[in-house]
Amino acid sequence: MKAILGNLRAIATNLAALRNPYGSGHGKSATYKGLEERHAKLAVGSSITFVNFLWDTHERRDI
């Protein structure tokens, strides 16, 4: 369980690290090509799972 939770925690850190080199923000050339849609789906899906786990934990502790 600790390994799984550690990997879920790493999602937020690693998504933040992806923003600068692969994001479509300021300063990119006109020919810049970011990551593929499948990468975005993986990032969003894993983030949703992580947030759902945190929210469920929060609600359970408030009981």
Side-chain angles (χ1 to χ4, degrees):
M1 211 23 121
K2 281 187 176 186
I4 292 170
L5 291 174
N7 288 329
L8 285 175
R9 185 174 1 108
I11 289 170
T13 302
N14 291 321
L15 284 176
L18 283 175
R19 280 190 77 214
N20 286 333
Y22 297 106
S24 59
H26 301 286
K28 302 291 187 204
S29 69
T31 60
Y32 173 76
K33 184 177 178 192
L35 298 176
E36 296 176 21
E37 182 180 348
R38 65 189 180 101
H39 297 110
K41 287 180 179 180
L42 175 63
V44 170
S46 57
S47 297
I48 290 169
T49 299
F50 180 52
V51 170
N52 283 338
F53 178 80
L54 291 177
W55 186 255
D56 290 346
T57 301
H58 169 74
E59 286 183 331
R60 185 173 193 168
R61 290 184 178 172
D62 285 343
I63 294 176

